[in-house]
Amino acid sequence: MQTKENSISVFGHIDWFTVVIYLILVIAGVFSIYAASYDFDNASLLDPAEFSGKQIRWIGLSLVLATVILLFDSHVFETYAIPIYLAILFIMLVTIFIAPDINGSRSWLVLGPIRFQPAEFGKFATALALAKLFNSYNFKLNANPKNYALALSIIFVPIFLILAQNETGSALAYMALFFVLFREGMSGMVLLAALCAVTFFVVAIKYAQTLFLGIPTGEAIVFILIMILMVAIVTGYCKMFDVARNLAIWFGGTGLIVGILAACGVDVPGMVYFLSTILIGCAYCTLMFLRFKSNRLLYTIVAAIVSIIFLFSVNYAFNNVLRVHQQQRINVALGIADDPLGTGYNVNQSKIAIGSGGLFGKGFLNGTQTKLKYVPEQHTDFIYCTIGEEEGFIGSSAVLLLFLVLILRIMHLAERQPTTFGRVYGYCVASYFIFHLAINTGMVIGLCPVIGIPLPFFSYGGSSLWSFTILVFIMLRIDAARKEHHSFR
């Protein structure tokens, strides 16, 4: 802890703009929770038995926690980053074995009247550990594969522990940290690979019910996308335009011939055509690599082969790795299945609620979908539908704008840090917010499968509120230290 003079200095140098945005969001969250759980019994907003009253208690404790964080010396977070990370990992590991089974998940620790989710607190611990790693002497992500392995291990260890608790949503939130790696020098090819993987998975699943050239239409589309990807990499990344042109002629020419044959009634084996065409394209790239010694051409070959392997694994993973309810949620989200009274009930009712709000909404506490409890879990993961119904497009857009301002402000704080530790930590915080905001709102309006991601500061729950409070105020403490050092020069 700090001396009285240093404490005064902290509060004098804190970024109060961020604090104000934080307070606006948590207060708006309380009113949203009250509106979502209001049932015409005229219960008070402050009633400790109501969800809103409980949330106010969590907010009060969060403010105490935020004050304590600001009173710590800023160096504490960097000095003890790894011990904090290891301690949280240990708690996550223990949780797997001692946590009660709640809806098939063992992710909540129960201590008397208190329940908390260690995975939520793992977010700030992982952010601190990642920032500590990047702030190591002479550490550069692209310097050698070992650095990549260290960074990825910090991210994936908590992910594996959370998956072992059967808590998929919380585990996915940690994937947001890949944006931080990109900011710190990770090749854009990795993000391209992730985008391709998601696209291939969605296309292969969505269009698996019909056939094209004797194979599922989804697989045929993915094969075509792989061809386009190969030409794009050779053109944009390798800058070898003659090679790209020849590949395009090969793919386009063979495709035209197959199309004509199919139109004439000739039975063309699609799998043989696509695999042989792509593999011949890879062979051509190999010859060009041997000729020009361009290592970047190897990315084209690897991308094509890995993409084909990934495509063949999609069907197995969907049917054998994902649980039945996860498969159903994906099918509903992709429009493959329509189950408005079963798996798709929550999302369907949520969209009805948001749509009924119109431009200006029905008014505070006047949402019929909300009051009649049509939307399950509307005070937690589906809190955004309450905002949409009662405050309309204007109110729900205002909430998104507030989050945008907070995220941009955190990124601004991160960029002005004099140390790599502060910058990396700041981007970790921003990445978590971006992921939660995008997935939660996308889930509520039917753009994403339902995976149980809370909306920061709005969804009811102490663990999520405390987690994001810790994330924000550690960043504010680090930033305040930057100003303190500047004022002492």
Side-chain angles (χ1 to χ4, degrees), residues 326-343:
Q326 294 171 331
Q327 297 173 18
Q328 293 172 339
R329 289 174 178 178
I330 292 175
N331 285 333
V332 169
L334 295 180
I336 299 171
D338 185 17
D339 189 13
L341 298 179
T343 302

Side-chain angles (χ1 to χ4, degrees), residues 344-365:
Y345 179 79
N346 286 27
V347 175
N348 187 55
Q349 294 299 325
S350 175
K351 289 192 290 186
I352 291 173
I354 293 174
S356 67
L359 182 62
F360 297 104
K362 298 177 179 178
F364 185 60
L365 301 182

Side-chain angles (χ1 to χ4, degrees), residues 196-208 218-219 222 306-322 327 330 334:
C196 288
V198 173
T199 303
F200 294 167
F201 181 86
V202 171
V203 170
I205 296 300
K206 183 173 178 60
Y207 301 102
E219 292 185 5
V222 171
V306 171
S307 296
I308 292 173
I309 295 173
F310 177 81
L311 174 60
F312 288 148
S313 69
V314 166
N315 188 60
Y316 174 82
F318 184 78
N319 292 298
N320 298 282
V321 177
L322 296 181
Q327 297 173 18
I330 292 175
L334 295 180

Side-chain angles (χ1 to χ4, degrees), residues 143-163:
N144 56 66
K146 177 184 176 182
N147 291 348
Y148 266 105
L150 289 172
L152 292 176
S153 64
I154 287 176
I155 297 173
F156 276 103
V157 169
I159 288 177
F160 290 141
L161 291 176
I162 297 170
L163 288 176

